[in-house]
Amino acid sequence: PLVTTKEMFEKAYEGGYAIGAFNVNNMEIIQGITEAAKELNAPLILQVSKGARNYANPIYLTKLVEAALEDTGLPICLHLDHGDSFETCKSCIDGGFTSVMIDGSHLPFEENIAVTKRVVEYAHDRGVVVEGELGRLAGVEDEIKVSAEDSSYTRPEEVYEFASKTGVDSLAIAIGTSHGAFKFKGEPKLRFDILEKVTEILPGFPIVLHGASSVIPEFVEMINKYGGDMPGAQGVPEELLRKAAESAVCKINIDSDLRLAMTGTIRKHFAEHPSDFDPRQYLKPAREAIKQMVAHKIVDVLGCDNKA
Ligand code: G3H
Ligand code: 13P
Ligand code: NA
Ligand code: ZN
């Protein structure tokens, strides 16, 4: 069966590595990720956003993830990414997810506590774990402004009260990452001092890093070379992610790198094979590119190979 993140996070925390949480939207993405994890014997979190559920129809993604589970025999957690309400979380819990995120980070502190606590009570009664969030990541739409400066970092003085009042199983924090392919204007910088303070206040508590794609330059170049237009795309450098993985960070969220691998590979394929029109012709190399990219993450960034 699908597993929760409980044991995964305990082992990751102890072992100084992190589990990759990859966003999934269709069969090829799921297959690319799980084939890499299977070859490397890595535990996996496959996460589904509200947008992904709207795109694919929830039942399709759930069944595809169940197929991946049967195919690989790996410990796989099916997680709701950025749950926006109690109702969305409940729907996923009722539908067989083993983990949900309730993202109340945009709410006033007391309201974030209230909605998170409500989700935790419903989830824990059904053996499901919950991720909460404190602090706000800069959004893609904020990129025109000074993105990192505009986001509000997690305030360490709030984390103890939040964790103890809500009962959450893990906590996403804002230390300078952001979603999407344009994370930094100049020098990439993460506030590891905030992470350290949070870890001192909540020793042993699993921390989650969102917006953690490295926006792999090879794929950005491929996109720009074959007709795309993504000047200035920049992500979190791998050495910073490795440093995070060695710390209390137990879950590293990756979506943009999957999108870039898929898009770059498909653009290249069409440029080189303009008469192809069978979706298998271009989705096969895209799936393979995802597999290679995820394998690299597992071995060289997350350190979770052979931890299944
Ligand atoms: O955090 C956002 C993830 O990249 C999911 O994006 O809401 O467009 O599916 P999405
Ligand atoms: P990226 O946009 O950096 O891949 O972040 C994904 C994420 O945080 C999903 O919740
Ligand atoms: Na870790
Ligand atoms: Zn996120």
Side-chain angles (χ1 to χ4, degrees), residues 199-252:
T199 308
E200 276 167 31
I201 295 164
L202 295 176
F205 198 82
I207 301 301
V208 178
L209 201 60
H210 282 250
S213 278
S214 39
V215 186
I216 300 171
E218 173 197 342
F219 290 121
V220 175
E221 280 158 30
M222 201 184 279
I223 286 170
N224 289 333
K225 179 173 173 189
Y226 294 106
D229 186 22
M230 299 187 69
Q234 196 185 175
V236 184
E238 288 188 351
E239 61 267 27
L240 297 186
L241 294 169
R242 273 193 289 272
K243 187 175 165 187
E246 285 166 13
S247 76
V249 170
C250 293
K251 173 173 180 273
I252 289 192

Side-chain angles (χ1 to χ4, degrees), residues 21 23 47 49 81-82 101 131 137 140 177-181 183 209-215 235-236 251-259:
N23 285 73
Q47 58 187 11
S49 69
D81 190 28
H82 293 284
M101 175 189 194
E131 173 184 329
L137 273 69
V140 180
T177 62
S178 61
H179 292 112
K183 300 189 191 299
L209 201 60
H210 282 250
S213 278
S214 39
V215 186
V236 184
K251 173 173 180 273
I252 289 192
N253 284 11
I254 298 164
D255 188 359
S256 294
D257 283 335
L258 297 163
R259 298 177 178 190

Side-chain angles (χ1 to χ4, degrees), residues 55-221:
Y55 171 76
N57 183 341
I59 191 69
Y60 287 85
L61 291 177
T62 307
K63 293 293 173 188
L64 285 167
V65 170
E66 283 170 10
L69 182 71
E70 203 173 311
D71 179 41
T72 62
L74 290 172
I76 296 179
C77 167
L78 176 55
H79 173 77
L80 167 67
D81 190 28
H82 293 284
D84 60 339
S85 64
F86 173 80
E87 287 69 29
T88 306
C89 292
K90 178 181 183 298
S91 161
C92 288
I93 294 164
D94 295 346
F97 281 50
T98 46
S99 175
V100 294
M101 175 189 194
I102 174 69
D103 183 357
S105 60
H106 54 286
L107 298 170
F109 187 57
E110 295 299 336
E111 286 175 41
N112 188 0
I113 290 178
V115 70
T116 305
K117 185 172 162 34
R118 189 171 171 220
V119 171
V120 167
E121 281 166 3
Y122 190 83
H124 283 185
D125 278 347
R126 288 155 185 84
V128 170
V129 293
V130 180
E131 173 184 329
E133 176 163 342
L134 271 180
R136 286 217 307 278
L137 273 69
V140 180
E141 64 275 12
D142 291 339
E143 106 202 35
I144 311 114
K145 304 173 199 161
V146 189
S147 53
E149 261 36 71
D150 270 0
S151 69
S152 45
Y153 296 116
T154 302
R155 295 152 48 95
E157 59 272 31
E158 288 183 346
V159 300
Y160 184 82
E161 186 181 348
F162 185 80
S164 54
K165 282 192 173 164
T166 60
V168 278
D169 302 277
S170 62
L171 180 67
I173 62 169
I175 59 167
T177 62
S178 61
H179 292 112
F182 300 87
K183 300 189 191 299
F184 303 99
K185 282 259 133 112
E187 181 84 358
K189 205 175 152 273
L190 296 187
R191 292 287 305 273
F192 281 98
D193 59 314
I194 295 176
L195 173 61
E196 273 164 37
K197 284 209 188 85
V198 170
T199 308
E200 276 167 31
I201 295 164
L202 295 176
F205 198 82
I207 301 301
V208 178
L209 201 60
H210 282 250
S213 278
S214 39
V215 186
I216 300 171
E218 173 197 342
F219 290 121
V220 175
E221 280 158 30

